[in-house]
Amino acid sequence: MNFSASGQSVLEGDIGNTAVTVTASLSSVSSLNVTVPFTLGGSAANPADHDAANASISIPAGSTSGSYSFNVVGDTLDEPDETVVFALGSPGNATLGTNASHTVTITDDDAAPLVNFTAASQSVPEGNSGNTAVTLTASLSSVSSLNVSVPFTLSGSAANPADHDAANASISIPAGSTSGSYSFNVVGDTLDEPDETVIFSMGTPGNATAGATTVHTVTITDDDAAPVVNFTAASQSVLEGDIGNTAVSVTASLSAGSGRTVTVPFTLSGTASNPADHNAANASITIPAGSTSGSYSFN
């Protein structure tokens, strides 16, 4: 006695049941009823994937074969191909042959779900001190029976660790769930600076297909007022001297450091003239980002 084949494949389907038949055959006709028990193994489960159970196949006297039928249960989950493995036990009124195992492969026919960032952008105020938590979420178009991973890389004008603590990583969506998240912190400061961005770009997902929204931009909006700028003094005196030049510096200072480069234009007037008395001209003082003062020198 043997299974008539070592295996077969059946398409899972999306809904309803698909009937499957497993057949055992004899090498010759017998005048006795033959029964052969079997046990089940494999990766497919009852009742989620099929309704087969440990049982036996009967071959009536005078016949050369008998069958067992069961149903494969359809669903719309993306999942690996699964197996139902029938293993024959000791037959009654027959001898077990070499082909004592039969594997039914249930081939999955469901496409991998689409994965998208749930939004293309969001804005978060920077704050003056401490950290502000930000969450990025990826979602599936349908539930999957597989764990989905969504890798991403970072770009944008904001920097780690000065502005945030995000890094290249991935979002995990567990089997049976439709979304997963990644959280990071925006670092607050009191510097006046432009709005900055953290741009998340999706890589190639695992067990899913990238959808349309694969880039998410977090805009860190600055909430700090521009600093006040003053000349450091309202006046100064310098001795003219008889010959040669005497260097003079005019300094402008900020009330607080800034994340921007500050320019302070000025115009000249007064009784002294260029070039007879000095070489100063209309210009501007530059205060680099992160500094609190800058100077202009003339003779």
Side-chain angles (χ1 to χ4, degrees), residues 193-285:
E193 55 193 348
D195 292 346
E196 297 170 306
T197 57
V198 188
I199 301 173
F200 294 78
S201 297
M202 187 184 297
T204 301
N207 296 324
T209 301
T213 307
T214 58
V215 176
H216 181 88
T217 301
V218 177
T219 300
I220 304 171
T221 56
D222 186 62
D223 56 356
D224 300 299
V228 176
V229 62
N230 290 282
F231 288 123
T232 53
S235 64
Q236 63 178 302
S237 296
V238 59
L239 195 64
E240 178 187 61
D242 294 330
I243 56 174
N245 296 326
T246 301
V248 182
S249 288
V250 178
T251 300
S253 62
L254 299 178
S255 58
S258 176
R260 308 174 191 255
T261 297
V262 174
T263 57
V264 189
F266 58 80
T267 57
L268 300 181
S269 60
T271 58
S273 62
N274 178 337
D277 303 306
H278 64 81
N279 65 357
N282 297 341
S284 63
I285 295 172

Side-chain angles (χ1 to χ4, degrees), residues 1-85:
M1 163 171 274
N2 291 283
F3 281 122
S4 56
S6 61
Q8 62 179 304
S9 294
V10 59
L11 197 64
E12 179 188 62
D14 294 334
I15 57 174
N17 296 326
T18 301
V20 183
T21 298
V22 178
T23 301
S25 60
L26 298 176
S27 58
S28 60
V29 175
S30 174
S31 63
L32 301 174
N33 293 327
V34 174
T35 59
V36 55
F38 60 80
T39 56
L40 299 182
S43 58
N46 178 330
D49 304 305
H50 64 83
D51 62 4
N54 296 342
S56 62
I57 297 173
S58 296
I59 303 176
S63 296
T64 56
S65 66
S67 298
Y68 174 82
S69 294
F70 68 101
N71 295 301
V72 165
V73 180
D75 62 43
T76 57
L77 291 177
D78 179 43
E79 56 193 346
D81 292 347
E82 297 169 306
T83 57
V84 187
V85 180

Side-chain angles (χ1 to χ4, degrees), residues 116-122 136-139 200 213-218:
N116 289 281
F117 291 128
T118 53
S121 64
Q122 63 177 305
L136 170 69
T137 301
S139 62
F200 294 78
T213 307
T214 58
V215 176
H216 181 88
T217 301
V218 177

Side-chain angles (χ1 to χ4, degrees), residues 98-162:
T98 57
N99 193 16
S101 178
H102 181 88
T103 300
V104 177
T105 300
I106 304 171
T107 56
D108 184 62
D109 58 351
D110 301 299
L114 297 177
V115 62
N116 289 281
F117 291 128
T118 53
S121 64
Q122 63 177 305
S123 295
V124 58
E126 180 187 63
N128 292 329
S129 62
N131 296 328
T132 301
V134 183
T135 298
L136 170 69
T137 301
S139 62
L140 298 179
S141 58
S142 60
V143 176
S144 174
S145 69
L146 303 174
N147 294 325
V148 173
S149 60
V150 189
F152 57 79
T153 55
L154 298 184
S155 59
S157 58
N160 178 331

